[in-house]
Each structure stands twice: as structure tokens, then as C-alpha cells.
Amino acid sequence: EIVMTQSPATLSVSPGERATLSCRASQSVSSNLAWYQQKPGQAPRLLIYGASTRATGIPARFSGSGSGTEFTLTISSLQSEDFAVYYCQQYNNWPPALTFGGGTKVEIK
Amino acid sequence: QVQLVQSGAEVKKPGASVKVSCKASGYTFTSYDINWVRQATGQGLEWMGWMNPNSGNTGYAQKFQGRVTMTRNTSISTAYMELSSLRSEDTAVYYCARGSDAFDIWGQGTMVTVSS
């Protein structure tokens, strides 16, 4: 099983600042990585797929980068609605054996 | 609009089974895989398995093999996830999600509580 490790567990950021979240895979997943945002009481929302492609309707302040084992989600200027938990997910295997990272909580500083 | 609507909350006793439904609308049900993901309170996301609604083919995470069954009824565009031999650790919100890699549409979640 591919293990996904996210860091930090919690990130304290002021509104308007930049946030950088990391995700590391235990083995290469190529660019088969997605990022999700989850707010309390809601289902996750797809932000990024293919490591760097924004999903439909996702603002340009969200960007993804990386390949292989190291990935980054950057939120260029945090808005109030961006404070949430973010998960990475790999989908490199076939047949599917998808795995999620443990999440990074982005909180108001 | 494209959506997945899940069945309501369930309370089950240890050892029982639960079957959660996920009804698709706004798109061709057989064109996209359905996955199931669960989340215990305050915890992260855990992928349980997938199903191809067209073929009925399934694949389960090793942790759930032997306890989970994913099925569908194409005539009503509905997917099902049944989990058996429930224990307290299965208490969680269960989500269905569309996609064969990244999941672009999610159901609203179904709370399953296992308690004696």
C-alpha cells in the first residue's frame, strides 16, 4: 500500500498570507495525485487533480505542483472561506488501491 | 445538476450489517465509477473500494475484504455499499464519490453508528 504523509498537521496562517501544504508518497505515484478541501460537516471538495490541474470552478489562488513522491498545494492569498482541512490522495495503482493523506488543517492565525 | 444523494443515518448493533444507498442524477450512471470513503469523527478519509456501475466489477481495500460488498441497480441509477460484522470502530460517516481516480462529485454522507 502506498502511504501518503502530509505536513504540517496544522498550519496557522493570517488572511491574505500564502499557505504551502506538503504531501509525500512512500513510492512514486507519477502525477496521479489529487487535493481536496473539507469544511466541518461537509463532504470533501475536489480542488486539484493530475497534481496540478484545477477542478471546475476552483479559484486560481489554488495551485498544485510536484510529481513522483513530493507534492505541494499552494494557496496564494488565504481568504476566510479557505480555512479548512486539506487532504491529498494518490490514485496510481491499478486495480485501484487509492490512499489519502492524514490531512492538514489550515487555521486562522 | 449532477449529484449523488445518499440514504439516511443508521444505528446498528455490533455484529449486524448495514446497507447504504447512493442515488445518482444529472449524468449517465454507468459512465463513471463509484467509490466509497469513510470518515470517523475527527479523523481522516479512508477509501473502502470502488465499483464500475456498467460491468458491476468491484475492488475493495484489503482492510475491508470479506466484510464489504458493493452493488448497483442500474435501472434506478443507485449504488449500494453493505458492510457486515459491524463493530464499534465502524462508527463513521460513509460517503459515495464519483470517479475512477480523482473524485469530482461526492454524496452528502451517511452517518452509521454502531452501538449496543
Side-chain angles (χ1 to χ4, degrees), chain B residues 9-109:
Chain B
E10 303 264 12
V11 179
K12 296 292 183 182
K13 293 193 182 303
S17 297
V18 68
K19 191 171 185 177
V20 179
S21 68
C22 170
K23 183 173 177 58
S25 61
Y27 73 97
T28 302
F29 176 62
T30 51
S31 294
Y32 297 84
D33 291 350
I34 292 288
N35 292 259
W36 291 88
V37 176
R38 77 177 187 180
Q39 184 173 40
T41 302
Q43 302 301 307
L45 302 170
E46 183 174 34
W47 179 76
M48 300 179 68
W50 68 280
M51 181 190 64
N52 180 312
N54 185 46
S55 63
N57 288 346
T58 56
Y60 305 137
Q62 190 167 6
K63 175 177 179 176
F64 299 101
Q65 285 184 6
R67 271 208 314 144
V68 71
T69 304
M70 296 177 187
T71 58
R72 87 289 191 212
N73 183 333
T74 56
S75 68
I76 55 172
S77 300
T78 300
Y80 304 92
M81 186 283 298
E82 184 170 23
L83 188 63
S84 62
S85 303
L86 289 168
R87 35 204 186 234
S88 59
E89 310 90 88
D90 294 317
T91 294
V93 175
Y94 289 75
Y95 294 101
C96 59
R98 185 183 84 162
S100 56
D101 34 60
F103 305 154
D104 63 344
I105 303 293
W106 292 65
Q108 83 277 18

Side-chain angles (χ1 to χ4, degrees), chain A residues 54-109:
Chain A
R54 278 189 302 276
T56 303
I58 301 304
R61 64 181 181 272
F62 291 92
S63 63
S65 63
S67 66
T69 62
E70 301 283 343
F71 300 89
T72 300
L73 174 69
T74 301
I75 311 171
S76 60
S77 176
L78 270 158
Q79 307 298 303
S80 57
E81 61 267 30
D82 300 335
F83 292 96
V85 179
Y86 292 83
Y87 294 95
C88 63
Q89 173 223 340
Q90 68 80 20
Y91 47 90
N92 192 58
N93 309 81
W94 186 264
L98 295 80
T99 47
F100 289 92
T104 291
K105 181 179 181 181
V106 177
E107 63 177 25
I108 301 174
K109 187 175 182 179

Side-chain angles (χ1 to χ4, degrees), chain A residues 9 13 17 21 23 30-31 36 42 44-47 56 59 65 78-79 81-82 91 95 98 101-104:
Chain A
V13 186
E17 289 188 339
L21 289 67
C23 175
S30 187
S31 294
Y36 299 86
Q42 296 184 16
R45 177 174 72 143
L46 176 65
L47 298 176
T56 303
S65 63
L78 270 158
Q79 307 298 303
E81 61 267 30
D82 300 335
Y91 47 90
L98 295 80
T104 291

